[in-house]
Amino acid sequence: TDEDDHDYVPIYFEEQPGEPTIDKNLLGDKNHKYKVGELVGFKMVFKNTTNKAVKHAKIKDFLPLNLEYVSSEIHGVSPILSGLYKVSGQTVLEYSGFDLAPNQEWYIIMTGKVLDSNLDNRVNNVCIYGNDQKNNDGSDKSYVCDNDK
């Protein structure tokens, strides 16, 4: 077998429908085979397609274990809080504390670096939360998630 079988990390996308919507796209050549140490950029476009405001909106981007957070910026809203933290070893980028008007659109640019560990763990989830909705266990209930593999 080829010793270099794990020198690159393919990025796959699987769109999930819902309201509000998320459209997550890789910045750059979608056919590029990312190598360990390379930077990977994503643009996540969010839109409230409902006719009601989403109050207390929150975005959580759960980075795959093989991606190290480098930087991010948000455009179109002014979040009250932003943070980067770990949950069970997984890095979570969060922006929160803002409202989304009906048909409002905004986006986040996020850059990460491919790590040489967990090369087969490429699932990247980003979710929209709002209106203080909770699951039965008290955790935040999402409107929609986009799962990229």
Side-chain angles (χ1 to χ4, degrees):
T1 63
D2 183 5
E3 292 177 6
D4 297 330
D5 283 346
H6 292 289
D7 284 352
Y8 66 92
V9 179
I11 308 285
Y12 303 102
F13 294 96
E14 180 180 316
E15 298 297 327
Q16 300 287 327
E19 293 181 342
T21 62
I22 303 171
D23 185 20
K24 185 171 188 173
N25 292 294
L26 179 68
L27 296 175
D29 183 0
K30 291 180 180 17
N31 296 314
H32 178 72
K33 295 181 177 184
Y34 287 90
K35 295 181 180 178
V36 171
E38 280 191 275
L39 296 180
V40 180
F42 296 94
K43 182 176 183 179
M44 296 166 267
V45 179
F46 303 87
K47 187 172 184 179
N48 178 8
T49 58
T50 69
N51 59 2
K52 295 182 180 180
V54 175
K55 301 290 185 183
H56 313 288
K58 183 184 300 183
I59 300 301
K60 292 183 184 179
D61 187 8
F62 300 85
L63 277 62
L65 295 176
N66 71 329
L67 196 66
E68 176 184 355
Y69 173 84
V70 174
S71 65
S72 65
E73 54 190 53
I74 190 168
H75 299 267
V77 295
S78 297
I80 294 172
L81 299 171
S82 65
L84 189 67
Y85 54 92
K86 297 245 183 206
V87 174
S88 300
Q90 186 173 25
T91 301
V92 179
L93 170 64
E94 181 178 318
Y95 287 100
S96 60
F98 53 92
D99 297 337
L100 295 174
N103 296 309
Q104 183 177 359
E105 184 175 302
W106 51 283
Y107 65 94
I108 294 173
I109 300 291
M110 193 280 294
T111 303
K113 183 169 79 172
V114 178
L115 299 174
D116 62 358
S117 59
N118 299 298
L119 291 175
D120 292 328
N121 188 326
R122 297 183 293 267
V123 177
N124 185 193
N125 298 315
V126 60
C127 302
I128 299 176
Y129 305 83
N131 292 337
D132 298 319
Q133 295 185 67
K134 300 288 184 187
N135 292 311
N136 290 337
D137 65 1
S139 63
D140 292 328
K141 183 176 183 179
S142 66
Y143 276 103
V144 64
C145 293
D146 187 338
N147 304 303
D148 293 338
K149 298 180 209 158

